[in-house]
Amino acid sequence: MALRIDRIPTWKDNYTYLLHCEETNEAAVVDAPEADPVLRRVESSGAKVVSILSTHHHPDHSMANPDLAQRFGAPVYGHVSDRERLPGFTNGLEEGDTVRVGRHVARVLHIPAHTRGHIAYVFDDALAVFSGDTLFAAGCGRLFEGTPEMMFAAMRKLDALPDAMRVFCGHEYTESNLVFAVHVEPDNLAAQWKLDRVREIRAKAAADWHDATDSEMSVPSTLADERATNPFLRAADAAELGRRRALKDNFRG
Ligand code: ZN
Ligand code: FE
């Protein structure tokens, strides 16, 4: 049976995910900056939350951890190195560890660069990767605690995933990311085509992100899409990735 994945719009443009094993009714919450929208979704689904999974320690991904942990009596997972700074931290993970949500198992990838303790959760059977602020649809996170070399290495780990793997990232940034993608690769027709599609989707967006419905969400993407459109996943080497990242830091599309 399927792993159901609910996309919950939180904060300004964040994605919080509710992962629900329909066979066992066990569930996990990925990256929650605020509790209320999550509690409402959990209540309406009838899921039993057994773990809180964090991709990294930034507040827009983790502020609600202590609140949710208390309400559900659930442990909070994050990279071992974030023990002191991830809100609610209880259980440390390292590269190659696994976490279970009902019948579904995620592998942990350590992908430092945006932050030193950034991890991704890969559900091979459900074809879903939770990539936080490292791999966005058509973009990558800022290099707050890492180098272009580290982000390039992170991209190679993610690039090993199959075409059909769905990419559930931390923010709805796809449209502006694609504007940049088309700017740096003007001949990339896949990026241009996807930008047109995402603009159609986003044109119908609710005024308040909290009211967003599935139809206006450009996430998930897929690894196949990212290999075709993402200028950071597509960068030939760390130097090119670094140049593109520096350019985007100051880019106003
Ligand atoms: Zn972040
Ligand atoms: Fe973020």
Side-chain angles (χ1 to χ4, degrees), residues 14 56 58 60-61 114 133 171 173:
N14 280 79
H56 66 299
H58 284 158
D60 63 313
H61 300 259
H114 178 67
D133 286 357
H171 292 267
Y173 287 164

Side-chain angles (χ1 to χ4, degrees), residues 144-208:
F144 287 124
E145 300 179 358
T147 60
E149 286 72 20
M150 289 162 71
M151 185 59 89
F152 187 75
M155 292 294 128
R156 299 287 68 77
K157 280 191 194 180
L158 293 161
D159 201 16
L161 301 173
D163 277 349
M165 180 71 64
R166 294 170 296 164
V167 179
F168 292 89
C169 57
H171 292 267
E172 177 60 57
Y173 287 164
T174 318
E175 185 175 352
S176 59
N177 283 345
L178 284 165
V179 169
F180 178 77
V182 168
H183 174 75
V184 291
E185 291 193 296
D187 298 329
N188 186 333
L189 295 179
Q192 184 59 60
W193 184 80
K194 186 161 179 181
L195 174 58
D196 294 343
R197 259 183 51 224
V198 169
R199 277 186 167 144
E200 275 171 39
I201 292 171
R202 299 298 302 153
K204 294 164 196 138
D208 185 340

Side-chain angles (χ1 to χ4, degrees), residues 25-45:
N25 204 37
E26 288 185 352
V29 175
V30 176
D31 281 5
E34 49 184 336
D36 285 351
V38 178
L39 294 172
R40 282 196 295 275
R41 194 69 67 104
V42 169
E43 207 165 296
S44 67
S45 72

